[in-house]
Amino acid sequence: MSAGALGKRAPRRVEHVIGARWRILALLTIAALLAGAVWARLAYWQVLRHVQLSAQAQSQYHELIELPAVRGAIFDRNMTQLVVNTTVYSAFVSPDQVAARDRERVATGLSSVLGVDKAAMMQKLESGSKFAYVLRRFPKAKADQLRALKLPGVGLEDETQRSYLPGIAAGSSLAANMLGFVTYDGQGQRGLEQYYQKELAGTPGYISSYRDLANREIILGTHTHQDPINGSNLVLSVDANVQYQAEQALADGVKKANAESGSVLIMDPATGGIIAWADYPSYDANNFNHTDPSLFADNVSSYLYEPGSVMKVVTLSGAMNQGAITPDTVINDPGVLSVGGYRIYDWDHRNHGNINYTYVLAHSLNVGAMKAMLAEGHAACYSYLKGFGLTQPSGIDVAGETSVPLPPQDQMSDSQYATTSFGQGIGVNMIQMLAAVNVVANGGKYAPPHVVERVGTTINPLLLKPQRQVITGATAQQMTAMMENVVQHGSGWTSRVKGFELDQAGKTGTSQIPVNGQYTLDVWASFVGFLPAKHPKFTMIVVMRKPHYPGSNSDWTLNDGYLTAAPVWQKIAQAMVVDWRITPD
Amino acid sequence: MTSTRILTRRRLGATGAQHVPARRRRRTRGFVQVAGSVAADRLHLNSYGHAYLWFGAALIGILFYLALAAQVTQSSYDITRLQDQQRQLVAEQDQLRYQEVTLHAPAQVQQQAAQSGMQRAAPTAYVPAQQVAIDLQAPAGAAGTDATPLWERYLAALFNKVGGTRDVMAAGRH
């Protein structure tokens, strides 16, 4: 029995030992698994998520403050500052920090100084929110008043703003369309502000430091400091006084002619520098956020129009330079010419008989212009259009220039050449047209139009490049004499400046506006000229869009350039003669 | 060439360096330790006394730190205040510059001139070298002789008006 008992005990002990080992093994496995899980989790946080977590941690104690660069100023040719940086303020309130007993006082203070609605302010204060703007971008005087009140929960934030000089009326600033404006986030929009954004804005700097839990700077921390590079100043070829005179004369002219809009562009004949760039109607760049966006469009560079008879200057210059005609070449003008299957008339539908080209230009005869084009040939005509800069954008340094390229030479029909010779069927902007006529004023050389003379201390590279010779000096002189004749005996008589009757050159232009392929009675009226004729100090173009001159309902020729645009030209030229002390040769 | 004297000196130098006995560094006690033990000996401090002494020293340290922190905070406030003042002065300077620029602006000059009763003078002092041989009041050039038959002109005008012609309108006038 005992042996049997012993015999039974032995396997039980073995089972017990084996069971204990299994349990230990199981426990070890579980412990290993648990430890593995902890280690795996640890590895996840410390290895896989390391970059993200360290970045989060750094963001809590590391601070990078941007040091804004001062935007460059803009000066005119006499170093009159056209744009100034000023500081404006925005008021904010933290309603949760304003005690109930103080709400009335805070609302009253804010409404009395900033003119905000008191009831709306009370509602804002009672909302208990953490932050709300009260008013954005008001002047320093109001900020000082508000500061003196020491209102609880109210704070001030300073911001930089571009301030532009006042224009001719309360709702406009000087040269707004040419200068453009700067948005609240510092981005230049339109005009020079947009074109020279990079140069004007500069490069902001920064300062980085560490902060403790109480948001205090740790003085001994590692600081990185980069000074901002302020924007460069621009010096323009513009004359602020002439600009003002141009804006004033233009506004009067547009109102008198009852036109839709008008523009003036004045250029230095020798350099191509723009002296004045005026649009009417215009806008106030200081108040751009409350301006009708349609007024931002700059009609000088972005409005395409058919130049009309002003183009005859280009056509006849090209033909004379080619040797195809001379000012005295006699042609027969029956008042109509058939070209490419089309019968094209002179403006007056009259037979003018035998006339010379001086007479053609003075009386703006389409048949004469077409005959000159035919005499020089299509290829030469096209190459002169190119030479005078009418087939490509002028490349002026103001944002927003628009142009329509001419079709290739071989794709232009006979009738297209014919209409182009007297300025119809070709779309140009004012800069292109003025630069083209300026070739005559500049002794036959093309002066690339530009507004900026200097960026910081660097001269505009355009000024250092040689100018391209388009026509000979002799041809330019002949054309000048013909254009003088326009003022003395032709359609330009309304532009005569006192004392310069024998010493100014000009050409009128009127072209009908096409709508859906049909010419309407609305016109673009223009006048271009330079003065003094032999040694010009300026070249100027005036364009009126859709003038409705008093009485033009019965006689629509009253809307012509000589009655609407030339008087504006004369008024501005008269002011320039006085301001610049110009004397006749 | 190296002289024998130099060789001897070198040999002596080399052997001399080998035989120099290594210096034993004296253990020195710090000032605090010395002062502490001297003070303990003289004051006959027990363990509580030591504890009080350490506590007092720590307190002084904390007070010193607090004073320093207060000073730093005060300086920080001063810096912030001065920065704010600087910003205000810059703003004021900007304002003054704008006022100055505006004073010279053509619009302002014109307005002030008008208020003072000034008027822009027309240039009347120019004396041309020769008399103007043209009629300044003459209108645009007279039309030439037109030999086109009347019926043809009327017909052309009529067709142009109704748009029934393929002719391009002679729009490029003056």
Side-chain angles (χ1 to χ4, degrees), chain A residues 67-75 81 83-86 160-164 179-204 228-234, chain B residues 94 97:
Chain A
L67 304 172
V70 177
R71 197 175 173 91
I74 301 178
F75 297 88
Q81 204 165 342
V83 185
V84 184
N85 294 320
T86 51
T160 304
Q161 180 175 282
R162 296 287 262 184
S163 295
Y164 301 86
L179 294 173
F181 56 89
V182 179
T183 56
Y184 294 156
D185 58 354
Q187 292 300 312
Q189 296 288 320
R190 313 261 173 185
L192 285 174
E193 296 277 22
Q194 184 178 335
Y195 193 91
Y196 284 99
Q197 164 68 15
K198 199 177 155 198
E199 289 80 0
L200 284 167
T203 311
I229 302 166
N230 291 336
S232 303
N233 293 338
L234 301 184
Chain B
D94 286 345
R97 188 179 295 133

Side-chain angles (χ1 to χ4, degrees), chain A residues 487-511:
Chain A
V487 176
Q488 291 169 16
H489 303 291
S491 54
W493 63 279
T494 47
S495 74
R496 290 171 192 160
V497 176
K498 201 169 184 181
F500 290 83
E501 293 89 347
L502 293 176
D503 199 15
Q504 70 175 89
K507 181 73 191 87
T508 52
T510 310
S511 55

Side-chain angles (χ1 to χ4, degrees), chain A residues 90-112:
Chain A
S90 294
F92 60 87
V93 65
S94 304
D96 61 332
Q97 289 180 17
V98 182
R101 63 177 183 283
D102 290 331
R103 283 177 192 156
E104 177 70 24
R105 185 165 72 90
V106 170
T108 310
L110 289 172
S111 77
S112 66

Side-chain angles (χ1 to χ4, degrees), chain A residues 357-374:
Chain A
Y357 275 106
T358 303
Y359 186 93
V360 166
L361 194 70
H363 296 88
S364 203
L365 301 174
N366 297 341
V367 171
M370 287 186 286
K371 284 193 169 178
M373 181 274 298
L374 290 170

